[in-house]
Amino acid sequence: MARTRNHLVSGRGGRAVIAMAVAAAVVGVLPAAPAAALSPTACRVTNLRTGVERASFVTSVGAAKDGDTLTVRGRCQAGIELTTSLTIRGIKPPGAGTPTLLGIVDIDTPSNSHSVLEILDGVTVRLESLTLTGGGGRSGGGDDRLGGGLFVSGRATLVSVRIVGNSPGYTDTYGAGIYAFAGDVTVGGRSFIGSNAAQYGGGINIEGDSTLFITDRTTIAENEGNTIGGGIRSLDSLIVISGDARIRDNEAAFGGGGIGAEASVIRLRDRVKVTGNDATGPTGQGGGLWLDGTTSAVIRDGVEISGDTGNIGGGIAAANRISIYGTSTITGNAAVGSMGTGGGIYLSATASLNVGPHATVTANSATGDGGGIYAANGAILNAGICGAEVSLNTPNDCRLPL
């Protein structure tokens, strides 16, 4: 009967085979060598649909499709047009720097400059948890530069976004932070737009039937408009500001340290504060609000306009209809200088004012006439408010039309 035998590998050759097998097994369980650590500012952009990560924001946008979400970490060079509808979300893993997109400023060759992002007609973009800075603006023809941080002719929604330090540095500049033409812009989630400078609309400039919604404790602060609208300038457009938003410490040389508006509709409500703004150029008007031409405004539900300064209209200078309701207050504003008229409100000859029973105009001052309200001849205001809703102003409560 045949017998079978298990053969064991023996000798030096056998020991070598066993050693190789053991080594192979060990190698199989060893962890991979760690990748080199990224610097805190290294740019990394990931498309959540494809899972592809790139070191270039521009390349990532070029590869994206409508509806994609891109995550951004570190500091990434932008300065591009967006022709695809996207969500762009900043992320900050432990040890990483603030997610930041950078624009392009080229003083010597302005045509090479760009806004940080340029959102074109028909495109919808949502920005979350990002900083936009260093934008030179999109060319508007000639020497015009439009939108240092963001140019919008489509639709933009900003949530927890900072737009700071955009100052194109050219003669004719509009909206150093944001410029919109026939665009829709919504800013919320405690966003901050500050330390931007332009000739018109240091923080934001909207034109051409645009809409601007500001809410949810967003702050527009410390911007400068060399002519009109330190914080915001509006032309032929709609502004709605609500939800504890703050327009503070902005400056314009001529009109509207906080907001300067022409042929527009302005709605302020829900505890908005317009405070500490300044329009004290030689003929500065409307430290808080400058409402020119056919601009109408409704201020209601706990809005406070306070601590603003202008030569004509410390708090508000208005040329058309303005209504103030519902515990809103115009207080602590000042009209200064040799032209100092209308510490709280200045009404030109074409203006009309309605102050509701729970609103107040109080503790404002003027170096000239109309500590509370100065109403030029031809202006209209509701009877009986001076000494009631309008009180405790210096040197007087009202200068009434003759």
Side-chain angles (χ1 to χ4, degrees), residues 41 58-59 105 127 186 211 226 268-269 276-277 347 391 399:
T41 59
V58 174
T59 303
V105 178
L127 304 175
T186 300
T211 59
N226 291 339
L268 307 181
R269 64 181 188 232
N277 302 284
L347 303 173
S391 64
R399 187 277 187 189

Side-chain angles (χ1 to χ4, degrees), residues 58 66 68 94 158 183 187 214 239 265 306 352 369 375 381 397:
V58 174
D66 275 337
D68 280 356
L158 284 62
V187 188
I214 297 175
I239 296 175
V265 175
S306 64
S352 64
D369 205 356
L381 63 164
D397 287 326

Side-chain angles (χ1 to χ4, degrees), residues 241-242 266-274 289 297-306 316 322-333 344-345 353-364 373 385 388-391:
I241 306 177
S242 64
I266 309 298
R267 299 288 183 264
L268 307 181
R269 64 181 188 232
D270 301 335
R271 302 169 306 280
V272 166
K273 288 188 178 182
V274 181
L289 308 177
V298 176
I299 299 168
R300 56 179 297 171
D301 301 333
V303 170
E304 178 182 314
I305 298 176
S306 64
I316 301 172
I322 178 169
S323 300
I324 305 171
Y325 301 120
T327 70
S328 293
T329 184
I330 315 298
T331 186
N333 304 284
I345 302 172
L353 171 68
N354 182 37
V355 179
H358 301 294
T360 58
V361 180
T362 184
N364 303 282
I373 297 173
I385 62 172
E389 288 84 2
V390 184
S391 64

Side-chain angles (χ1 to χ4, degrees), residues 81-114:
E81 293 181 346
L82 298 180
T83 58
T84 304
S85 294
L86 300 169
T87 294
I88 304 172
R89 179 180 302 141
I91 60 172
K92 189 179 179 183
T98 300
T100 301
L101 298 178
L102 305 172
I104 301 172
V105 178
D106 189 332
I107 298 296
D108 296 327
T109 310
S111 60
N112 292 337
S113 294
H114 287 280

Side-chain angles (χ1 to χ4, degrees), residues 162-166 177 192-197 203 219-223 250:
R162 291 174 56 84
I163 300 181
V164 296
N166 297 281
F192 179 84
I193 300 174
S195 300
N196 305 285
T219 297
I220 314 296
E222 300 175 7
N223 301 284
N250 302 283

Side-chain angles (χ1 to χ4, degrees), residues 60-355:
S60 297
V61 169
K65 295 183 178 181
D66 275 337
D68 280 356
T69 295
L70 304 179
T71 63
V72 175
R73 65 159 286 172
R75 293 172 66 86
C76 297
Q77 183 63 60
I80 60 169
E81 293 181 346
L82 298 180
T83 58
T84 304
S85 294
L86 300 169
T87 294
I88 304 172
R89 179 180 302 141
I91 60 172
K92 189 179 179 183
T98 300
T100 301
L101 298 178
L102 305 172
I104 301 172
V105 178
D106 189 332
I107 298 296
D108 296 327
T109 310
S111 60
N112 292 337
S113 294
H114 287 280
S115 309
V116 178
L117 296 174
E118 300 171 6
I119 301 171
L120 302 189
D121 186 28
V123 176
T124 297
V125 174
R126 180 180 174 92
L127 304 175
E128 302 175 3
S129 304
L130 289 162
T131 294
L132 276 58
T133 190
R138 179 183 176 90
S139 174
D143 294 330
D144 289 359
R145 309 304 301 179
L146 312 176
L150 200 60
F151 172 93
V152 182
S153 59
R155 177 172 294 177
T157 298
L158 284 62
V159 180
S160 300
V161 171
R162 291 174 56 84
I163 300 181
V164 296
N166 297 281
S167 182
Y170 309 105
T171 302
D172 298 319
T173 54
Y174 299 78
I178 300 173
Y179 175 89
F181 186 88
D184 298 321
V185 180
T186 300
V187 188
R190 301 187 183 222
S191 291
F192 179 84
I193 300 174
S195 300
N196 305 285
Q199 184 174 2
Y200 297 91
I204 301 172
N205 189 102
I206 63 171
E207 301 182 11
D209 200 26
S210 291
T211 59
L212 173 64
F213 295 92
I214 297 175
T215 189
D216 194 15
R217 301 193 179 187
T218 288
T219 297
I220 314 296
E222 300 175 7
N223 301 284
E224 182 177 346
N226 291 339
T227 304
I228 296 172
I232 303 170
R233 184 245 187 174
S234 175
L235 175 64
D236 297 318
S237 294
L238 167 67
I239 296 175
V240 179
I241 306 177
S242 64
D244 295 285
R246 300 289 184 264
I247 314 296
R248 63 167 178 81
D249 302 320
N250 302 283
E251 180 179 348
F254 174 68
I259 301 172
E262 305 159 85
S264 295
V265 175
I266 309 298
R267 299 288 183 264
L268 307 181
R269 64 181 188 232
D270 301 335
R271 302 169 306 280
V272 166
K273 288 188 178 182
V274 181
T275 183
N277 302 284
D278 189 310
T280 54
T283 57
Q285 302 181 35
L289 308 177
W290 180 68
L291 310 173
D292 195 37
T294 59
T295 297
S296 64
V298 176
I299 299 168
R300 56 179 297 171
D301 301 333
V303 170
E304 178 182 314
I305 298 176
S306 64
D308 301 304
T309 306
N311 289 334
I312 299 173
I316 301 172
N320 195 28
R321 298 186 309 276
I322 178 169
S323 300
I324 305 171
Y325 301 120
T327 70
S328 293
T329 184
I330 315 298
T331 186
N333 304 284
V336 299
S338 60
M339 303 176 70
T341 51
I345 302 172
Y346 177 90
L347 303 173
S348 74
T350 56
S352 64
L353 171 68
N354 182 37
V355 179

